[in-house]
Amino acid sequence: MDMNELVVLFIGALGIIFTYWFFLGKKPSFAEATGGRGIDVIVEGGYSPEVISVPKRKTTKINFTRRDSNSCLEEVVLPDFKIKKYLPLNQKVTVEITPEKEGEYPFSCSMNMFHGKIIVR
Amino acid sequence: MVQTKTFSIQGMHCASCVRLNERALKHIEGVQDAVVNLATGKATITYDPQKVSEELIQEAINSVGYTADFKEKTEDEEKERKTKELNDLRTKVLVSLGLASLIVWGSFPGLVQTSPDFLQDFLVQFLLALPVQFWAGLMFYQATIPALRHRTANMDTLVALGTSVAFTYSTIVTFSPQMVSQAGIEPMPYFDVTAVIIGLILLGRYFEAKAKAGTSEAIKKLIGLQAKTARIVRAGKEIDISIDQVQIGDIIRVRPGEKIPVDGVITEGESSIDESMVTGESIPVDKTRGDKVVGATMNKSGTFLYKAEKVGQETLLAQIIKLVEEAQGSKAPIQRLADLISSYFVPVVIMLAIATFVGWYVFGQQSAFLFAMLNSIAVLIIACPCAMGLATPTAIMVGTGRGAEHGILIKDAESLEIANKINTVIFDKTGTLTNGKPIVTDIVTSDKAKVTREKLLQLAASVEKGSEHSLADAIVKKADEENLVLDPVTKFKAIAGHGVEGLVGRHRVVFGNIKMMEREDINISLARRPLAKLGEQGKTVMVLAVDGKLTGLIAVADTVKDSARAGVEALQKMGIEVVMITGDNARTAKAIAKQVGIKRVYAEVLPQDKEKIVRQLQTTNYKLPTNVVAMVGDGINDAPALAASDVGIAMGTGTDVAIEAGDITLINRDLRSVARAVDLSKKTMNIIRQNLFWAFGYNIILIPVAMGVLYPITGWLLNPALASFAMAASSISVVANSLRLKSVKL
């Protein structure tokens, strides 16, 4: 193995570690719904915030606004609440949920590429 | 940032309305300009979205007595935007594939000799590839950059990454070939690869978008069924109003060939109504005063007036739409694995691409760098997370939509998935297998009494007219059907559990069961044989005696639905065991079961015990550890049993249906729909399995091939351009496979 190969091997290993850390090791952005106020979620290259904490047995409004023209994000699906909504570009779309049980409920785009989570407490 | 918005204003009819609305809109803080057009009924405002909300606009418009409608315009705008997007995409596909073919012509071994010299020039190839990479391929960057900001990645990230690597390398080759030659590599650009990849992936997207639009067709069709206006009668005048303004209690006129606007009950007139679009039943139903009509169904022949009972979101159609939308938003348990994989998929593919590069660079023989680069690009391009993401939802969408077209409403994807495993179906008898309304089936006159059949019925109906017993209705109705005139009855008496008696003219008429005859000391020995025979058939028989003498018998029975036998047989043909459950006595139960072809019967079951039988059947199966049991009932009386079963199937009686009672609701009366629902579920699940098998198999096999694992054995490598073709074909094939459900026969 010559020097070039060693360098490529080293950079490659770093690249793999970096990819893992960058995509899988991130701390998701978080927001909490309190006092009956809704939560605004910006849909642009994913969901911000990605993790939403909502109270049990209370109706919470989640307002999605899509700013990303990527067609992958044009629908949001909250399967546990049987909600699938089309998100027109730059328009606020409100989804109301009244969770009965504590737990984690994922949501995603319709192609299941971008993910978020609702934590019911 | 200032934005403009256009929306409808309802209720305007003169120029002063325009001024009023304009003034109201301009008074909202944040609205810079407002223009209202009377001819189009629309307002356009220029406003600050930070300060102005739709609620504020609505409030302002309401304050001057009008209503703003944002929905209509928004939907139109969206539709326009989608069409434009699709047209733009088509242009990009055509341009990029056109440019790509020129580059391929000028660079592909074998073709290059036939091409004009200028196409072989690297600079020309660069100029041709430039718009493909940054104009047609802009969408990949537009999606990748915000995603990377969020530390997420998707399909676009892979395409952007793969093509950028190839494009950057090719650009270096074009502008400083010596840099590449110094590294011992022949300076050869790969603009053909980048352009072909982008062109083919965009082509795939174009077809995918078109096919995906087809998956939501059913719901669009349902929404399109809604009538736009209603002709209501107010203060003796008939006026056409928008469907949104119809209120409960409004009297609506419907003429032949018109759509019925909302749900209600006929108050005057009669007609034949085609309800197929809502219930899936193909034969038009005759309706008259007192009958219910459903919004969005089609009036065929007569003109009638009816009273609106349900409007807006309460109508049957609105509820069907809501249910189908909810089902399409739910997730099937089979999708769990795909979900789990998709959250790691793209980062793992990027890591595999890096590993491929390193592997080829370190262990490759000749031209190691080129092999390393091309193979890692192939890995990025071949990976198709889209197929996995599309596999289940598209099939669920088409499947639930197809069901709705046939009056089969599936509550969620989970119910659809479980329904495919049903091996036992329990039918409730009364109202489900039978019509639930007793009718007169036999009229037997006594040879000795010398009365006609009509006279016997007329006498029985005359005394029963005053009775409140459920069987009395059947007899009076039969007499009515035969246009018999009933006699007045005096000294009427009803004896609970026995029957009725009274004086018709000067004759004393007694009508009731055997106990009644014994009580009255009437000799019925001559009627013993027909009594026994009719009883065996599960019919309720009543005896009529005039002046103490046996005159004849009338048998009343609940009749089985026309589709019952065929419905049961269809399930049995699928290898499903069919069971009947009823609170009725064993003799009646057996008679009905025999008629419909059911062998296993649970009779005299109290309503609260039906649930126990369901649980018993779920656990006691000699063939399988657990049984998947479906319970078919009316959804009202059988709610606990429906809930206890694995799949509760609520059967409507025509358009009167408890829509959320079951996991599956059948709006039509046709019992064959139960087998159809199971069939639909099986077919949908088959498609999902095929899709998932394809999506997983494709990635599991082709990613390693792209990495070059077959190279040491067979010498096979995957050209990145070919990889893009496979990737595009993969996601289209999944959607196209789901669309096959649209044409399955139910």
Side-chain angles (χ1 to χ4, degrees), chain B residues 609-631:
Chain B
D609 291 338
K610 284 184 182 173
E611 188 190 337
K612 279 187 202 157
I613 306 259
V614 171
R615 295 202 190 282
Q616 201 181 313
L617 283 166
Q618 278 170 327
T619 48
T620 55
N621 186 303
Y622 49 94
K623 283 180 260 176
L624 298 161
T626 50
N627 242 353
V628 179
V629 175
M631 167 84 202

PDB file of all heavy atoms in Angstrom, chain B residues 609-631:
ATOM      1  N   ASP B 609     -74.010 -11.827  24.905  1.00  0.00           N
ATOM      2  CA  ASP B 609     -73.187 -13.034  24.780  1.00  0.00           C
ATOM      3  C   ASP B 609     -72.563 -13.192  23.396  1.00  0.00           C
ATOM      4  O   ASP B 609     -71.715 -14.048  23.175  1.00  0.00           O
ATOM      5  CB  ASP B 609     -74.016 -14.281  25.103  1.00  0.00           C
ATOM      6  CG  ASP B 609     -74.372 -14.333  26.587  1.00  0.00           C
ATOM      7  OD1 ASP B 609     -73.652 -13.681  27.370  1.00  0.00           O
ATOM      8  OD2 ASP B 609     -75.367 -14.981  26.939  1.00  0.00           O
ATOM      9  N   LYS B 610     -72.989 -12.363  22.445  1.00  0.00           N
ATOM     10  CA  LYS B 610     -72.451 -12.477  21.072  1.00  0.00           C
ATOM     11  C   LYS B 610     -70.936 -12.250  21.087  1.00  0.00           C
ATOM     12  O   LYS B 610     -70.186 -12.913  20.387  1.00  0.00           O
ATOM     13  CB  LYS B 610     -73.121 -11.448  20.157  1.00  0.00           C
ATOM     14  CG  LYS B 610     -74.528 -11.851  19.759  1.00  0.00           C
ATOM     15  CD  LYS B 610     -75.130 -10.869  18.773  1.00  0.00           C
ATOM     16  CE  LYS B 610     -76.549 -11.272  18.436  1.00  0.00           C
ATOM     17  NZ  LYS B 610     -77.239 -10.269  17.624  1.00  0.00           N
ATOM     18  N   GLU B 611     -70.537 -11.307  21.909  1.00  0.00           N
ATOM     19  CA  GLU B 611     -69.123 -10.975  22.039  1.00  0.00           C
ATOM     20  C   GLU B 611     -68.332 -12.204  22.505  1.00  0.00           C
ATOM     21  O   GLU B 611     -67.223 -12.458  22.015  1.00  0.00           O
ATOM     22  CB  GLU B 611     -69.036  -9.843  23.060  1.00  0.00           C
ATOM     23  CG  GLU B 611     -67.708  -9.222  23.198  1.00  0.00           C
ATOM     24  CD  GLU B 611     -67.657  -8.281  24.393  1.00  0.00           C
ATOM     25  OE1 GLU B 611     -68.724  -7.795  24.843  1.00  0.00           O
ATOM     26  OE2 GLU B 611     -66.555  -8.056  24.889  1.00  0.00           O
ATOM     27  N   LYS B 612     -68.924 -12.973  23.461  1.00  0.00           N
ATOM     28  CA  LYS B 612     -68.230 -14.158  23.998  1.00  0.00           C
ATOM     29  C   LYS B 612     -68.019 -15.189  22.888  1.00  0.00           C
ATOM     30  O   LYS B 612     -66.972 -15.820  22.810  1.00  0.00           O
ATOM     31  CB  LYS B 612     -69.084 -14.799  25.105  1.00  0.00           C
ATOM     32  CG  LYS B 612     -68.951 -14.106  26.426  1.00  0.00           C
ATOM     33  CD  LYS B 612     -69.674 -14.894  27.497  1.00  0.00           C
ATOM     34  CE  LYS B 612     -70.004 -13.984  28.664  1.00  0.00           C
ATOM     35  NZ  LYS B 612     -71.114 -14.481  29.454  1.00  0.00           N
ATOM     36  N   ILE B 613     -69.049 -15.349  22.050  1.00  0.00           N
ATOM     37  CA  ILE B 613     -68.931 -16.322  20.947  1.00  0.00           C
ATOM     38  C   ILE B 613     -67.805 -15.893  20.008  1.00  0.00           C
ATOM     39  O   ILE B 613     -67.024 -16.723  19.541  1.00  0.00           O
ATOM     40  CB  ILE B 613     -70.269 -16.416  20.164  1.00  0.00           C
ATOM     41  CG1 ILE B 613     -71.420 -16.719  21.108  1.00  0.00           C
ATOM     42  CG2 ILE B 613     -70.165 -17.369  18.983  1.00  0.00           C
ATOM     43  CD1 ILE B 613     -71.909 -18.126  21.177  1.00  0.00           C
ATOM     44  N   VAL B 614     -67.718 -14.583  19.734  1.00  0.00           N
ATOM     45  CA  VAL B 614     -66.647 -14.078  18.872  1.00  0.00           C
ATOM     46  C   VAL B 614     -65.298 -14.461  19.461  1.00  0.00           C
ATOM     47  O   VAL B 614     -64.426 -15.014  18.774  1.00  0.00           O
ATOM     48  CB  VAL B 614     -66.745 -12.544  18.693  1.00  0.00           C
ATOM     49  CG1 VAL B 614     -65.506 -12.000  17.990  1.00  0.00           C
ATOM     50  CG2 VAL B 614     -67.994 -12.165  17.915  1.00  0.00           C
ATOM     51  N   ARG B 615     -65.114 -14.222  20.749  1.00  0.00           N
ATOM     52  CA  ARG B 615     -63.828 -14.524  21.404  1.00  0.00           C
ATOM     53  C   ARG B 615     -63.539 -16.022  21.374  1.00  0.00           C
ATOM     54  O   ARG B 615     -62.400 -16.439  21.161  1.00  0.00           O
ATOM     55  CB  ARG B 615     -63.845 -14.018  22.852  1.00  0.00           C
ATOM     56  CG  ARG B 615     -63.935 -12.516  22.922  1.00  0.00           C
ATOM     57  CD  ARG B 615     -63.429 -11.969  24.243  1.00  0.00           C
ATOM     58  NE  ARG B 615     -63.754 -10.570  24.358  1.00  0.00           N
ATOM     59  CZ  ARG B 615     -63.097  -9.590  23.754  1.00  0.00           C
ATOM     60  NH1 ARG B 615     -62.071  -9.871  22.972  1.00  0.00           N
ATOM     61  NH2 ARG B 615     -63.465  -8.323  23.897  1.00  0.00           N
ATOM     62  N   GLN B 616     -64.611 -16.800  21.589  1.00  0.00           N
ATOM     63  CA  GLN B 616     -64.464 -18.251  21.560  1.00  0.00           C
ATOM     64  C   GLN B 616     -63.960 -18.710  20.180  1.00  0.00           C
ATOM     65  O   GLN B 616     -63.046 -19.508  20.081  1.00  0.00           O
ATOM     66  CB  GLN B 616     -65.854 -18.829  21.818  1.00  0.00           C
ATOM     67  CG  GLN B 616     -65.876 -20.257  22.325  1.00  0.00           C
ATOM     68  CD  GLN B 616     -67.335 -20.669  22.499  1.00  0.00           C
ATOM     69  OE1 GLN B 616     -68.139 -19.940  23.072  1.00  0.00           O
ATOM     70  NE2 GLN B 616     -67.682 -21.825  21.979  1.00  0.00           N
ATOM     71  N   LEU B 617     -64.561 -18.148  19.141  1.00  0.00           N
ATOM     72  CA  LEU B 617     -64.167 -18.538  17.786  1.00  0.00           C
ATOM     73  C   LEU B 617     -62.757 -18.075  17.435  1.00  0.00           C
ATOM     74  O   LEU B 617     -62.079 -18.691  16.623  1.00  0.00           O
ATOM     75  CB  LEU B 617     -65.157 -17.992  16.761  1.00  0.00           C
ATOM     76  CG  LEU B 617     -66.471 -18.756  16.667  1.00  0.00           C
ATOM     77  CD1 LEU B 617     -67.498 -17.963  15.886  1.00  0.00           C
ATOM     78  CD2 LEU B 617     -66.270 -20.116  16.014  1.00  0.00           C
ATOM     79  N   GLN B 618     -62.322 -17.002  18.083  1.00  0.00           N
ATOM     80  CA  GLN B 618     -60.971 -16.496  17.797  1.00  0.00           C
ATOM     81  C   GLN B 618     -59.903 -17.454  18.314  1.00  0.00           C
ATOM     82  O   GLN B 618     -58.823 -17.542  17.754  1.00  0.00           O
ATOM     83  CB  GLN B 618     -60.762 -15.129  18.463  1.00  0.00           C
ATOM     84  CG  GLN B 618     -61.341 -13.996  17.662  1.00  0.00           C
ATOM     85  CD  GLN B 618     -61.342 -12.700  18.428  1.00  0.00           C
ATOM     86  OE1 GLN B 618     -61.503 -12.686  19.652  1.00  0.00           O
ATOM     87  NE2 GLN B 618     -61.202 -11.602  17.727  1.00  0.00           N
ATOM     88  N   THR B 619     -60.220 -18.147  19.399  1.00  0.00           N
ATOM     89  CA  THR B 619     -59.191 -18.976  20.035  1.00  0.00           C
ATOM     90  C   THR B 619     -59.337 -20.462  19.765  1.00  0.00           C
ATOM     91  O   THR B 619     -58.388 -21.212  19.914  1.00  0.00           O
ATOM     92  CB  THR B 619     -59.198 -18.747  21.554  1.00  0.00           C
ATOM     93  OG1 THR B 619     -60.549 -18.846  21.994  1.00  0.00           O
ATOM     94  CG2 THR B 619     -58.651 -17.400  21.918  1.00  0.00           C
ATOM     95  N   THR B 620     -60.545 -20.917  19.402  1.00  0.00           N
ATOM     96  CA  THR B 620     -60.703 -22.361  19.243  1.00  0.00           C
ATOM     97  C   THR B 620     -60.781 -22.743  17.780  1.00  0.00           C
ATOM     98  O   THR B 620     -61.843 -22.796  17.196  1.00  0.00           O
ATOM     99  CB  THR B 620     -61.980 -22.860  19.945  1.00  0.00           C
ATOM    100  OG1 THR B 620     -63.059 -22.100  19.426  1.00  0.00           O
ATOM    101  CG2 THR B 620     -61.896 -22.735  21.442  1.00  0.00           C
ATOM    102  N   ASN B 621     -59.644 -22.956  17.240  1.00  0.00           N
ATOM    103  CA  ASN B 621     -59.629 -23.444  15.871  1.00  0.00           C
ATOM    104  C   ASN B 621     -58.719 -24.650  15.841  1.00  0.00           C
ATOM    105  O   ASN B 621     -57.626 -24.627  16.365  1.00  0.00           O
ATOM    106  CB  ASN B 621     -59.103 -22.355  14.938  1.00  0.00           C
ATOM    107  CG  ASN B 621     -59.199 -22.760  13.493  1.00  0.00           C
ATOM    108  OD1 ASN B 621     -58.655 -23.777  13.093  1.00  0.00           O
ATOM    109  ND2 ASN B 621     -59.894 -21.972  12.724  1.00  0.00           N
ATOM    110  N   TYR B 622     -59.229 -25.695  15.240  1.00  0.00           N
ATOM    111  CA  TYR B 622     -58.451 -26.937  15.257  1.00  0.00           C
ATOM    112  C   TYR B 622     -57.275 -26.891  14.286  1.00  0.00           C
ATOM    113  O   TYR B 622     -56.355 -27.657  14.375  1.00  0.00           O
ATOM    114  CB  TYR B 622     -59.372 -28.127  14.948  1.00  0.00           C
ATOM    115  CG  TYR B 622     -60.239 -27.920  13.736  1.00  0.00           C
ATOM    116  CD1 TYR B 622     -59.834 -28.372  12.493  1.00  0.00           C
ATOM    117  CD2 TYR B 622     -61.462 -27.252  13.834  1.00  0.00           C
ATOM    118  CE1 TYR B 622     -60.613 -28.160  11.378  1.00  0.00           C
ATOM    119  CE2 TYR B 622     -62.250 -27.033  12.718  1.00  0.00           C
ATOM    120  CZ  TYR B 622     -61.809 -27.492  11.493  1.00  0.00           C
ATOM    121  OH  TYR B 622     -62.574 -27.279  10.386  1.00  0.00           O
ATOM    122  N   LYS B 623     -57.326 -25.955  13.331  1.00  0.00           N
ATOM    123  CA  LYS B 623     -56.262 -25.932  12.328  1.00  0.00           C
ATOM    124  C   LYS B 623     -55.154 -24.940  12.678  1.00  0.00           C
ATOM    125  O   LYS B 623     -54.001 -25.170  12.433  1.00  0.00           O
ATOM    126  CB  LYS B 623     -56.840 -25.548  10.963  1.00  0.00           C
ATOM    127  CG  LYS B 623     -57.591 -26.695  10.289  1.00  0.00           C
ATOM    128  CD  LYS B 623     -58.128 -26.269   8.951  1.00  0.00           C
ATOM    129  CE  LYS B 623     -59.581 -25.927   9.067  1.00  0.00           C
ATOM    130  NZ  LYS B 623     -60.220 -25.419   7.892  1.00  0.00           N
ATOM    131  N   LEU B 624     -55.578 -23.817  13.231  1.00  0.00           N
ATOM    132  CA  LEU B 624     -54.608 -22.748  13.431  1.00  0.00           C
ATOM    133  C   LEU B 624     -54.545 -22.352  14.907  1.00  0.00           C
ATOM    134  O   LEU B 624     -55.508 -22.558  15.642  1.00  0.00           O
ATOM    135  CB  LEU B 624     -55.058 -21.513  12.634  1.00  0.00           C
ATOM    136  CG  LEU B 624     -55.147 -21.680  11.126  1.00  0.00           C
ATOM    137  CD1 LEU B 624     -56.009 -20.601  10.547  1.00  0.00           C
ATOM    138  CD2 LEU B 624     -53.764 -21.628  10.522  1.00  0.00           C
ATOM    139  N   PRO B 625     -53.402 -21.814  15.328  1.00  0.00           N
ATOM    140  CA  PRO B 625     -53.331 -21.392  16.727  1.00  0.00           C
ATOM    141  C   PRO B 625     -54.330 -20.275  17.029  1.00  0.00           C
ATOM    142  O   PRO B 625     -54.934 -20.229  18.084  1.00  0.00           O
ATOM    143  CB  PRO B 625     -51.895 -20.925  16.891  1.00  0.00           C
ATOM    144  CG  PRO B 625     -51.372 -20.712  15.506  1.00  0.00           C
ATOM    145  CD  PRO B 625     -52.149 -21.584  14.598  1.00  0.00           C
ATOM    146  N   THR B 626     -54.492 -19.367  16.096  1.00  0.00           N
ATOM    147  CA  THR B 626     -55.492 -18.320  16.297  1.00  0.00           C
ATOM    148  C   THR B 626     -56.285 -18.144  15.015  1.00  0.00           C
ATOM    149  O   THR B 626     -55.795 -18.353  13.924  1.00  0.00           O
ATOM    150  CB  THR B 626     -54.845 -16.957  16.635  1.00  0.00           C
ATOM    151  OG1 THR B 626     -53.842 -16.724  15.675  1.00  0.00           O
ATOM    152  CG2 THR B 626     -54.313 -16.902  18.029  1.00  0.00           C
ATOM    153  N   ASN B 627     -57.507 -17.749  15.227  1.00  0.00           N
ATOM    154  CA  ASN B 627     -58.401 -17.522  14.117  1.00  0.00           C
ATOM    155  C   ASN B 627     -58.520 -16.035  13.870  1.00  0.00           C
ATOM    156  O   ASN B 627     -58.557 -15.269  14.822  1.00  0.00           O
ATOM    157  CB  ASN B 627     -59.775 -18.017  14.550  1.00  0.00           C
ATOM    158  CG  ASN B 627     -60.244 -19.143  13.696  1.00  0.00           C
ATOM    159  OD1 ASN B 627     -59.610 -19.478  12.709  1.00  0.00           O
ATOM    160  ND2 ASN B 627     -61.350 -19.715  14.071  1.00  0.00           N
ATOM    161  N   VAL B 628     -58.601 -15.640  12.634  1.00  0.00           N
ATOM    162  CA  VAL B 628     -58.891 -14.232  12.375  1.00  0.00           C
ATOM    163  C   VAL B 628     -60.377 -14.151  12.029  1.00  0.00           C
ATOM    164  O   VAL B 628     -60.821 -14.690  11.021  1.00  0.00           O
ATOM    165  CB  VAL B 628     -58.007 -13.657  11.251  1.00  0.00           C
ATOM    166  CG1 VAL B 628     -58.355 -12.207  10.995  1.00  0.00           C
ATOM    167  CG2 VAL B 628     -56.549 -13.787  11.627  1.00  0.00           C
ATOM    168  N   VAL B 629     -61.119 -13.545  12.941  1.00  0.00           N
ATOM    169  CA  VAL B 629     -62.573 -13.589  12.852  1.00  0.00           C
ATOM    170  C   VAL B 629     -63.139 -12.223  12.462  1.00  0.00           C
ATOM    171  O   VAL B 629     -62.785 -11.200  13.045  1.00  0.00           O
ATOM    172  CB  VAL B 629     -63.170 -14.025  14.211  1.00  0.00           C
ATOM    173  CG1 VAL B 629     -64.683 -13.962  14.191  1.00  0.00           C
ATOM    174  CG2 VAL B 629     -62.706 -15.427  14.544  1.00  0.00           C
ATOM    175  N   ALA B 630     -64.009 -12.245  11.472  1.00  0.00           N
ATOM    176  CA  ALA B 630     -64.725 -11.015  11.111  1.00  0.00           C
ATOM    177  C   ALA B 630     -66.165 -11.172  11.554  1.00  0.00           C
ATOM    178  O   ALA B 630     -66.734 -12.261  11.462  1.00  0.00           O
ATOM    179  CB  ALA B 630     -64.671 -10.803   9.609  1.00  0.00           C
ATOM    180  N   MET B 631     -66.723 -10.113  12.082  1.00  0.00           N
ATOM    181  CA  MET B 631     -68.129 -10.152  12.496  1.00  0.00           C
ATOM    182  C   MET B 631     -68.878  -9.171  11.602  1.00  0.00           C
ATOM    183  O   MET B 631     -68.486  -8.020  11.462  1.00  0.00           O
ATOM    184  CB  MET B 631     -68.203  -9.724  13.968  1.00  0.00           C
ATOM    185  CG  MET B 631     -69.587  -9.403  14.466  1.00  0.00           C
ATOM    186  SD  MET B 631     -70.470 -10.898  14.976  1.00  0.00           S
ATOM    187  CE  MET B 631     -72.164 -10.327  14.841  1.00  0.00           C
TER     188      MET B 631
END
